[in-house]
Amino acid sequence: HIPVVTVEENTLEAVNQAVIELVTELKKRNKYREEDISHVIFTMTSDLDCVYPAKIVRETFEGWKYVPMVCMQELKIKNSLEKCLRILIVLNTEKVQSEIKHVYLKGAAKLREDLK
């Protein structure tokens, strides 16, 4: 899974809202169990630097206490999407790739219009 969302502004409130919205929508579409999560990688563009997304997830959602998570900065590429947050969730699952429901919210929807 690589859910993606754009954030309105670089504030704790805006990033918090985006992370919660993204994780909630991912869970809703894919109905995974937290104990099936192998690990999670968060990336944010360099214009988002007010909070660690992993901290938000641990404080908001049950079942994430033992999930290994890391936060990283995206490469800075000319003309790339700004204020972009991505979450790569690696799951232990029997589903095939075509059964996974990817999530692209807000301005990030234009990145993969083929996966709507």
Side-chain angles (χ1 to χ4, degrees), residues 28-68:
K28 179 180 161 186
R29 291 188 194 184
N30 290 285
K31 299 174 179 36
Y32 60 82
R33 300 177 317 154
E34 282 73 10
E35 58 266 21
D36 290 333
I37 299 173
S38 169
H39 59 281
V40 178
I41 300 170
F42 297 90
T43 65
M44 295 192 302
T45 51
S46 61
D47 48 8
L48 297 174
D49 61 2
C50 61
V51 65
Y52 290 105
K55 182 177 191 281
I56 296 168
V57 171
R58 282 206 203 286
E59 291 176 351
T60 305
F61 297 98
E62 289 188 38
W64 288 75
K65 181 177 182 177
Y66 299 110
V67 175

Side-chain angles (χ1 to χ4, degrees), residues 18-104:
V19 169
I20 291 170
E21 180 181 11
L22 197 52
V23 172
T24 300
E25 188 63 26
L26 183 66
K27 172 84 177 204
K28 179 180 161 186
R29 291 188 194 184
N30 290 285
K31 299 174 179 36
Y32 60 82
R33 300 177 317 154
E34 282 73 10
E35 58 266 21
D36 290 333
I37 299 173
S38 169
H39 59 281
V40 178
I41 300 170
F42 297 90
T43 65
M44 295 192 302
T45 51
S46 61
D47 48 8
L48 297 174
D49 61 2
C50 61
V51 65
Y52 290 105
K55 182 177 191 281
I56 296 168
V57 171
R58 282 206 203 286
E59 291 176 351
T60 305
F61 297 98
E62 289 188 38
W64 288 75
K65 181 177 182 177
Y66 299 110
V67 175
M69 294 187 270
V70 66
C71 300
M72 303 172 74
Q73 189 175 53
E74 285 278 336
L75 291 173
K76 190 170 182 169
I77 305 295
K78 259 187 197 179
N79 302 318
S80 63
L81 193 59
E82 295 179 355
K83 294 184 182 69
C84 186
L85 181 138
R86 289 178 168 87
I87 305 173
L88 173 62
I89 298 180
V90 180
L91 291 174
N92 298 308
T93 182
E94 298 294 322
K95 291 182 179 183
V96 297
Q97 287 179 346
S98 60
E99 294 176 297
I100 302 298
K101 307 293 187 249
H102 298 275
V103 179
Y104 290 81

